[in-house]
Amino acid sequence: MTRYRVSMDIGGTFTDVVTYDEETGRFAATKASTTPDDLSRGVLSGLASVVASPGDISFMVHGTTQGLNAFLERRGVRVLLLATEGAEDTYHIARGPRTRLYDVHYRKPEPLVPRRDVVAIGGRLAQDGSQVRPLDEEAVRQAARRARREGHGAIAVAFLFSYKNPAHELRAREIVAEELGEDFTVSLSHEAAKEWREYERTSSAVIESYTGPVVRQYLSRLEEELRQGGLAVPLHVMQSSGGVLTARSARRRPLQTLLSGPVGGAMGSHELARVTERPNLIGVDMGGTSFDVSLIVDGEPDVAAEARLEGLPMLMSVVNIHTVGAGGGSVAYAEAGGLRVGPRSAGASPGPACYGRGGTEPTVTDANLVLGRVDPEGFAAGRMTLDQEAAVSAVDRLAGELGLGTTAMAEGICDVANSKMAQAIRTITVSRGIEPRDFSLVAFGGAGPMHAVFLARELGIAETIVPRFPGAFSAWGMLQTQIRKDFSEPYFFLDEDLDGGDMAARLAAMEEEGLASLAAEGVVADQRTVQHAVDIRYAAQEYTLTVPLTDAAEPRREDFRAVMAERFAAMHHSRYGHANPGAPIEFVTLRGTALGDLGRAEPEPLEKADGPNFPHRTRPVVFGGRETESVVVHRDDLRAGHRFEGPAVIVEATATSVVPPGYDVSVDEIGSLIIRVKGK
């Protein structure tokens, strides 16, 4: 009998697995080493440690980094781009703004497709979608044959105005299938991103083509291995938008999974905001390789309609996550007489020096071990004993280069890493007019709770929250989300020209399409909903804001234009600090978000404490250059209502939380650690 809801999150160093027992209402979490040569091995190894058989699973969701890694490491397939004749250089011309104004070495982002692999295809559509010239089918056929001859692994098709009329792109795919077979990867720009802006839409199709075969191969192999092991339910995959979809759909639209790994933590923060009634949270996820920052504002995740990776744009719904190369495995080194930390990581193999796998360079994890902030015997639930001498030796060598003592060097490594991570938080908050002090900091990831209070102190944040299973919080967050499908349609009208009835009809059609897509994903009828929004801008401006609608029929209201102008002005003032009420506005894009409820694993209440005491010990830990006797407690020994003062080290299977002097710790009813500045 199936009884477990399971989620899996692959990180650069560890693969996290979380299970929820639907019979007992209890969670369990575990870690397995990530296996970069074959990620599915790490997934299956972690799964085997918590579930006797895949046949016991009632729901499974997976966050994959396969596509993202292929993109970042430039190991995707070779892509042939078919573009409209006369506009074939759009992808390489790109956009003109210099993102680093005073950098004389600035270069535009490197395209994934070289100019020699762009093929001009005859045929033209007008801006309203009407045909000006028919598609040159022979040119498409010759391009398909060239792809076979030269060994291209995918074809991207991006024709002008295909978002208004996809006929030419659809016919191009039919021709490619005739020449290369139905299994050959073809990405159409109107399917990757049914929106205006030719460059961004082309870039979206190219990225999907570049990473798609890698993602499809991985998901197919993982599905087959799980099926052979007895899995009887569909495998779901986390999307960049914060929702999930079946692996079958993910193989068709692999672009949507590109950032699926990091967004699980954002969705966990979203659930935490709901349960704890804290509407404004900053989520920080520090793993072995990277540090990710996300926001929950007014109880909702910060979702955008566009993302950029290494300067290349993608038009898709995505949770805003800012990432820097700072993790527990980040390597510390001397450069130009100064200390640098990251972005290079020791990864899972050989890993930090203290892992005993052959690594010799000092990392952030080694520095924390030297400072006494990590338990060498209890790391990763005792499955790994850390080599204290190797850590000291690695840090000492770097200290010698910079003329410092070993302890001072270890604190310096942590301070530099903390400063880098604090700046990442400022990038996603202060630079957008958001005051971090108005938020609580949620710390997760294997190394996040170890550094979070230091980050909060630097940013003036009074409260830090460490949820249960922090090292596997991203995987836990995946169990709290739902099926999500996003739809869009360009819709250009000045407010004075808007036909509310026509807009309502378009939204109703989009809603019908969304509900049908949820049915195809296996969502029962009474669990399907569709939310609507519209992108609006001031007339003659470039950038838009996405303004929510109450329902598809709202545009039929007589005061609709005035209401939308008021909503837009309020959002514009919140985002940019100013607005221009009364100025003409322009409607640009209609959006629909179809959501299917799959049930959720409710947070498990923690047993209440029967008194103020709990098992603990003390040991010296370095803070501010001095060894200080600190409370050391295993988190499993804490109950709801327990309180104590720092300095302290809280040890658990998936992470270690460090509380410096001057802070109080309490345990709430669902087991979260609430760490506050003493007296506040």
Side-chain angles (χ1 to χ4, degrees), residues 226-304:
L226 289 170
R227 190 179 300 111
Q228 290 179 359
L231 182 68
V233 296
L235 172 66
H236 290 82
V237 180
M238 197 75 189
Q239 296 185 84
S240 306
S241 64
V244 300
L245 74 171
T246 60
R248 181 188 70 252
S249 295
R251 289 198 302 271
R252 289 198 298 265
R253 294 270 69 85
L255 182 67
Q256 304 300 323
T257 71
L258 200 63
L259 300 174
S260 76
V263 300
M267 301 316 295
S269 296
H270 179 220
E271 176 67 6
L272 199 65
R274 181 187 72 85
V275 174
T276 64
E277 297 182 348
R278 289 175 170 87
N280 296 320
L281 301 176
I282 299 172
V284 294
D285 179 3
M286 183 180 179
T289 306
S290 63
F291 177 80
D292 303 322
V293 187
S294 58
L295 294 178
I296 304 298
V297 182
D298 295 330
E300 295 296 328
D302 182 25
V303 179

Side-chain angles (χ1 to χ4, degrees), residues 86-107:
E88 64 267 26
D89 289 321
T90 296
Y91 181 59
H92 283 79
I93 293 172
R95 297 293 177 185
R98 292 173 62 97
T99 56
R100 298 192 300 275
L101 189 59
Y102 300 107
D103 184 355
V104 296
H105 300 292
Y106 173 75
R107 294 292 183 272

Side-chain angles (χ1 to χ4, degrees), residues 367-625:
N368 278 302
L369 181 58
V370 170
L371 296 172
R373 300 175 185 176
V374 179
D375 181 4
E377 304 296 329
F379 190 75
R383 290 189 300 275
M384 180 184 294
T385 299
L386 301 183
D387 189 336
Q388 178 102 23
E389 291 185 6
V392 171
S393 177
V395 173
D396 189 57
R397 281 195 299 272
L398 182 58
E401 288 185 53
L402 296 174
L404 295 173
T406 304
T407 300
M409 185 76 265
E411 278 207 290
I413 292 171
C414 291
D415 289 344
V416 170
N418 290 339
S419 178
K420 187 174 183 179
M421 292 184 286
Q423 185 56 42
I425 296 173
R426 293 188 185 99
T427 297
I428 203 171
T429 55
V430 176
S431 66
R432 296 174 50 190
I434 295 173
E435 175 53 70
R437 286 176 293 188
D438 297 335
F439 286 65
S440 295
L441 190 71
V442 180
F444 50 97
M450 199 176 301
H451 292 260
V453 181
F454 300 94
L455 298 177
R457 183 167 61 190
E458 183 165 340
L459 294 163
I461 298 173
E463 181 180 73
T464 300
I465 303 171
V466 182
R468 293 179 72 181
F469 313 115
F473 187 68
S474 289
W476 182 84
M478 293 176 191
L479 291 178
Q480 314 306 321
T481 188
Q482 51 193 332
I483 290 280
R484 175 170 175 152
K485 292 290 193 74
D486 292 282
F487 301 88
S488 63
E489 181 178 335
Y491 196 77
F492 295 93
F493 284 97
L494 289 171
D495 54 352
E496 62 184 17
D497 299 327
L498 182 70
D499 181 341
D502 180 71
M503 178 186 280
R506 300 285 187 94
L507 290 170
M510 193 178 293
E511 180 170 328
E512 185 176 344
E513 182 182 3
L515 293 174
S517 73
L518 293 177
E521 293 288 310
V523 181
V524 297
D526 62 349
Q527 299 300 319
R528 307 172 200 159
T529 59
V530 178
Q531 299 173 351
H532 299 281
V534 58
D535 287 359
I536 301 177
R537 64 186 177 188
Y538 285 120
Q541 290 197 342
E542 167 71 8
Y543 295 102
T544 63
L545 292 175
T546 301
V547 182
L549 301 173
T550 57
D551 54 44
E554 188 180 14
R556 298 187 186 278
R557 289 175 45 179
E558 290 185 6
D559 61 346
F560 175 71
R561 288 184 293 180
V563 169
M564 294 306 290
E566 185 177 335
R567 285 182 197 164
F568 173 71
M571 291 184 66
H572 198 281
H573 190 277
S574 175
R575 177 66 177 84
Y576 298 110
H578 66 90
N580 190 12
I585 60 175
E586 184 177 19
F587 297 84
V588 176
T589 305
L590 303 181
R591 299 192 182 278
T593 302
L595 300 171
D597 192 351
L598 300 173
R600 68 175 65 194
E602 289 289 344
E604 178 187 354
L606 189 66
E607 180 184 343
K608 292 184 179 180
D610 56 7
N613 299 321
F614 52 87
H616 68 277
R617 57 189 174 90
T618 63
R619 75 160 185 254
V621 179
V622 176
F623 294 101

Side-chain angles (χ1 to χ4, degrees), residues 314-373:
M314 299 171 290
L315 295 176
M316 64 177 183
S317 293
V318 57
V319 176
N320 272 326
I321 295 177
H322 184 64
T323 302
V324 295
S330 292
V331 174
Y333 58 97
E335 182 179 80
L339 174 64
R340 302 287 185 269
V341 180
R344 185 167 59 87
S345 173
S349 181
C354 61
Y355 280 14
R357 296 174 176 171
T360 58
E361 297 178 293
T363 67
V364 174
T365 297
D366 293 310
N368 278 302
L369 181 58
V370 170
L371 296 172
R373 300 175 185 176

Side-chain angles (χ1 to χ4, degrees), residues 7 22 32 41 84 86 106 110 143 163 264 311 329 497 524 533 538 546 556 599 614 643 658 678:
S7 60
E22 294 177 315
R41 280 198 298 112
T84 299
Y106 173 75
E110 185 69 25
Y163 61 84
D497 299 327
V524 297
Y538 285 120
T546 301
R556 298 187 186 278
F614 52 87
R643 297 175 180 271
V658 176
K678 189 172 293 186

